[in-house]
């Protein structure tokens, strides 16, 4: 697969399946515990958002999860981690099969996260930005006791404004740099990315979280880029003005979230590195996966408690990760 178009800026294909799963079922897909399967890859930052929000809200029982392997080819993600290479519930080898069940002529990206309707085997939605919001809003009847409110009504306008900027200039900004097809396109993306990171550092110097005094959807969306920064974006995507670990405020902020239940315990650094360095073979034709960076720094004291804030608001942390969904011990610095 080719990810870089010579001479051109990178443009993400944003044609998603926008059908929604809602409490009232207005799109034909009502919220029903156990009916759907959330398909993710721990390598993918967009899918990682859904993994984190699902865990914070305690939706593991209501919305079971399938984890694809860290690599894919031009056909799609595979279920190589499962016995026999098939998802045990959907019975498929490739996520592509669920997309083609929805639309035999489907010609867009086979992306994660995707929510599949188990009875029909069809993808309902892969609209990653909407999925996490609907987990907060539409699945509320099935949230755990003590679940936080990552998309609270009072903060929603500010969360939306922050999310829009972070998406354009950080979440997607690293890709614009990494997949730039010209020096000019790369330079523009690089400058926009680090200008925004500087502004975010200024904002977070006086505030523990991006919006308000609790963790919100905005923090989830920024975290999934920051946690991949030193492992892949700094080198592989040439976002190398400085490492995250050399940026004091953002590094402390990222460590604070990483050490918060629901964040770091979902991160698989092995999958992250293998995905980027093996799949993007037009950027890394040797297929060599770096041995580093040293991950132990993620568990060092961050000092962000001095800024106040209540991670879960009036709620409580999620329960420990189940054995079935835990990240392998050698893929994470988290204590086992």
């Amino acid at each position: 697969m080719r990810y870089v178009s010579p001479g051109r800026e990178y443009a993400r294909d944003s044609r998603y399946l926008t059908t929604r799963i809602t409490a009232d079922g207005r799109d034909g897909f009502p919220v029903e515990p156990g009916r759907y399967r959330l398909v993710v890859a721990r390598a993918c930052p967009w899918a990682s958002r859904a993994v984190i929000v699902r865990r914070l809200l305690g939706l593991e029982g209501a919305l079971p999860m399938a984890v694809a392997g860290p690599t894919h080819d031009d056909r799609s993600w595979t279920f190589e981690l499962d016995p026999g290479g098939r998802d045990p519930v959907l019975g498929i080898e490739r996520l592509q099969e669920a997309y083609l069940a929805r639309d035999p002529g489907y010609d867009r990206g086979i992306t994660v996260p995707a929510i599949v309707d188990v009875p029909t085997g069809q993808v309902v939605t892969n609209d990653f930005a909407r999925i996490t919001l609907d987990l907060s809003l539409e699945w509320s009847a099935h949230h755990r006791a003590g679940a936080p409110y990552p998309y609270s009504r009072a903060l929603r306008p500010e969360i939306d404004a922050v999310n829009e900027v972070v998406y354009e200039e950080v979440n997607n900004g690293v890709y614009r740099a990494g997949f730039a097809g010209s020096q000019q396109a790369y330079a523009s993306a690089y400058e926009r990315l680090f200008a925004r990171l500087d502004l975010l550092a200024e904002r977070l110097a006086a505030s523990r979280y991006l919006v308000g005094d609790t963790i919100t959807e905005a923090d989830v969306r920024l975290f999934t880029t920051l946690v991949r920064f030193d492992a892949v974006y700094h080198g592989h995507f040439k976002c190398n003005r400085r490492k995250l670990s050399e940026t004091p405020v953002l590094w402390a902020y990222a460590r604070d979230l990483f050490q918060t239940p629901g964040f770091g315990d979902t991160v698989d650094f092995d999958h992250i590195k293998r995905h980027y360095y093996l799949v993007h073979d037009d950027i890394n034709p040797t297929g060599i996966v770096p041995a580093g960076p040293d991950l132990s720094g993620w568990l060092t004291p961050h000092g962000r408690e001095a800024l106040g804030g209540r991670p879960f608001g009036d709620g409580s942390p999620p329960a420990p990760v189940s054995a079935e969904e835990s990240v392998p011990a050698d893929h994470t610095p988290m204590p086992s």
Side-chain angles (χ1 to χ4, degrees):
M1 296 179 66
R2 292 197 62 83
Y3 291 87
V4 177
S5 298
R8 297 173 57 185
E9 294 183 354
Y10 170 67
R12 181 174 297 279
D13 182 355
S14 297
R15 298 173 299 153
Y16 300 108
L17 296 170
T18 57
T19 307
R20 292 175 61 189
I21 299 169
T22 58
D24 63 7
R26 56 186 176 273
D27 283 1
F29 293 94
V31 169
E32 293 180 17
R35 173 175 171 174
Y36 306 99
R37 195 151 176 81
L38 173 66
V39 181
V40 303
R42 294 191 187 275
C44 172
W46 320 107
S48 292
R49 298 176 175 187
V51 178
I52 292 169
V53 171
R54 170 181 174 270
R55 177 150 155 62
L56 292 177
L57 298 176
L59 288 170
E60 292 94 334
L63 182 60
M65 184 171 74
V67 180
T71 62
H72 62 74
D73 56 21
D74 57 356
R75 289 176 61 193
S76 80
W77 300 89
T78 66
F79 295 101
E80 62 189 78
L81 304 177
D82 293 304
R86 288 184 179 272
D87 178 79
V89 174
L90 299 173
I92 58 178
E93 295 180 337
R94 292 175 174 272
L95 182 56
Q96 181 187 48
E97 296 173 55
Y99 278 85
L100 295 179
R102 163 79 181 257
D103 176 5
Y106 186 83
D107 62 352
R108 289 170 272 171
I110 309 292
T111 63
V112 287
I115 300 182
V116 179
D117 179 41
V118 174
T120 63
Q122 299 179 10
V123 171
V124 178
T125 179
N126 65 338
D127 187 355
F128 68 88
R130 189 72 239 177
I131 285 173
T132 51
L133 302 185
D134 281 346
L135 292 182
S136 288
L137 301 175
E138 302 295 334
W139 290 73
S140 59
H142 307 287
H143 291 177
R144 64 179 175 87
Y149 298 96
Y151 196 52
S152 70
R153 184 176 300 277
L155 298 176
R156 208 165 296 168
E158 188 175 0
I159 293 171
D160 289 344
V162 171
N163 284 347
E164 182 177 358
V165 171
V166 168
Y167 171 77
E168 288 294 335
E169 300 184 357
V170 180
N171 301 146
N172 201 42
V174 293
Y175 285 86
R176 279 203 307 271
F179 293 158
S182 71
Q183 191 69 42
Q184 181 179 3
Y186 164 72
S188 174
Y190 177 98
E191 293 300 330
R192 286 179 63 185
L193 168 65
F194 283 101
R196 181 54 56 185
L197 289 176
D198 287 344
L199 290 173
L200 289 168
E202 290 180 15
R203 182 186 186 109
L204 289 164
S207 176
R208 189 172 180 185
Y209 304 111
L210 280 171
V211 181
D213 67 349
T214 64
I215 290 168
T216 69
E217 175 83 16
D219 298 297
V220 174
R221 295 190 182 196
L222 180 56
F223 173 79
T224 58
T225 294
L226 294 183
V227 79
R228 289 162 173 75
F229 204 91
D230 287 3
V232 290
Y233 301 145
H234 178 270
H236 185 58
F237 276 0
K238 307 178 184 68
C239 301
N240 61 353
R241 188 182 75 176
R242 65 173 63 95
K243 297 175 183 176
L244 177 69
S245 56
E246 297 167 345
T247 308
V249 171
L250 293 180
W251 176 225
Y253 165 78
R255 297 198 323 275
D256 186 6
L257 291 175
F258 188 88
Q259 295 169 30
T260 299
F263 284 81
D265 53 25
T266 70
V267 176
D268 188 318
F269 284 103
D270 177 79
H271 282 201
I272 289 168
K273 291 196 298 182
R274 284 202 282 150
H275 172 73
Y276 284 89
Y277 285 101
L278 293 177
V279 171
H280 304 155
D281 55 8
D282 55 343
I283 298 176
N284 185 43
T286 65
I288 294 172
V289 180
D294 178 6
L295 302 177
S296 61
W298 282 102
L299 300 182
T300 59
H302 52 75
R304 299 280 294 176
E305 305 94 335
L307 294 172
R310 302 172 300 146
F312 302 100
D314 294 327
S316 59
V321 183
S322 67
E324 296 77 18
E325 294 193 0
S326 62
V327 174
D330 57 345
H331 295 187
T332 172
M334 297 291 286
S336 56

